Amino acid sequence: MPACAAQAYEEIITWTKDPLCVLRSPTTSLNECEWDLARSIAKKLIQIRETILGGGAGLAAPQIGSNRSIFIFTPDRTTEGLKVAINPVFEPIDAQLIDGEEACFSIPLRCTKIKRWKTIKAKYQDLQGNIVEEILDDFSSKVFQHEIDHLKGKLTLDHETARVLTFSDPEAFIEYMKHVHLEDSKSYRARGLKK
Ligand SMILES: [Zn+2]
């Protein structure tokens, strides 16, 4: 079964069960004296992705109850490709948009059609404190923008261009998401990344 939000998980805050409104509050950046904290949040995000969710393209601190600016993401859904982004920002390279479909572990049984920038220049700090700059496009760009939205307190449902598909049957949702994942994989396969 592909890792997808076919159910709510106790460890993940969802939009319908968020008493402290952490999902809809902006996060604060981490300063250089807080790298131990950054490491512990990253460790928890990675551990939950691996042991509870069984994968996933990204996970942001607010989804596990932290209001700090950090998330994990992978450009090709693999664990080997996983990166930690601290204090991330981005800017679009040009005006080109892509139509994507996105699920979110904080929004079970929903898939949102949404417009995103096709190509972005991403900038963030890694766990060593180095500044990383990279050009992301298609799937990886979409994931990065999705996770940045989490740090701004914005969910896919809140997006101006959102069209939301709601599923009542987890099996139907899983089947639908298999096709979404297949479509996503075309962009990173084309670039020669793994899987
Ligand atoms: Zn999400």
Side-chain angles (χ1 to χ4, degrees):
M1 185 182 110
C4 68
Q7 63 173 92
Y9 296 88
E10 207 177 304
E11 293 79 0
I12 302 289
I13 293 174
T14 61
W15 70 297
T16 53
K17 202 173 167 191
D18 181 14
L20 299 175
C21 279
V22 70
L23 287 181
R24 285 204 161 98
S25 305
T27 56
T28 53
S29 55
L30 286 143
N31 68 44
E32 57 190 32
C33 302
E34 296 178 302
W35 241 244
D36 281 345
L37 175 61
R39 268 187 281 274
S40 79
I41 299 170
K43 194 174 164 188
K44 196 170 170 194
L45 287 167
I46 292 166
Q47 189 226 337
I48 289 176
R49 178 186 180 274
E50 295 304 305
T51 61
I52 310 288
L53 306 176
L59 195 63
Q63 296 180 273
I64 60 165
S66 162
N67 65 347
R68 306 312 296 269
S69 299
I70 177 170
F71 60 72
I72 56 171
F73 75 106
T74 166
D76 57 359
R77 289 194 186 277
T78 65
T79 298
E80 303 82 67
L82 210 57
K83 300 176 186 191
V84 177
I86 301 166
N87 302 330
V89 293
F90 76 90
E91 55 187 50
I93 293 291
D94 55 32
Q96 216 181 331
L97 298 171
I98 43 170
D99 269 313
E101 295 192 80
E102 300 175 22
C104 178
F105 287 111
S106 292
I107 311 170
L109 295 172
R110 281 174 171 75
C111 182
T112 305
K113 296 188 178 191
I114 198 164
K115 283 191 193 299
R116 300 277 190 195
W117 301 111
K118 183 181 187 321
T119 311
I120 60 170
K121 183 175 166 189
K123 187 176 173 185
Y124 55 91
Q125 285 170 277
D126 65 16
L127 276 180
Q128 283 69 48
N130 302 314
I131 292 174
V132 180
E133 287 187 337
E134 56 183 329
I135 303 294
L136 302 175
D137 66 1
D138 296 314
F139 179 69
S140 56
S141 172
K142 179 173 95 165
V143 174
F144 199 88
Q145 290 171 72
H146 178 116
E147 303 308 329
I148 286 263
D149 277 350
H150 274 304
L151 304 187
K152 291 179 175 169
K154 187 175 178 180
L155 299 174
T156 54
L157 308 175
D158 306 328
H159 211 274
E160 309 73 51
T161 61
R163 282 185 294 141
V164 184
L165 299 176
T166 303
F167 294 79
S168 51
D169 173 18
E171 290 302 319
F173 179 75
I174 289 165
E175 276 308 306
Y176 190 83
M177 289 312 297
K178 277 185 192 167
H179 294 287
V180 173
H181 289 186
L182 187 64
E183 281 304 307
D184 286 340
S185 73
K186 287 177 186 167
S187 82
Y188 49 78
R189 278 195 188 133
R191 209 158 295 109
L193 292 169
K194 280 172 283 178
K195 278 216 282 200

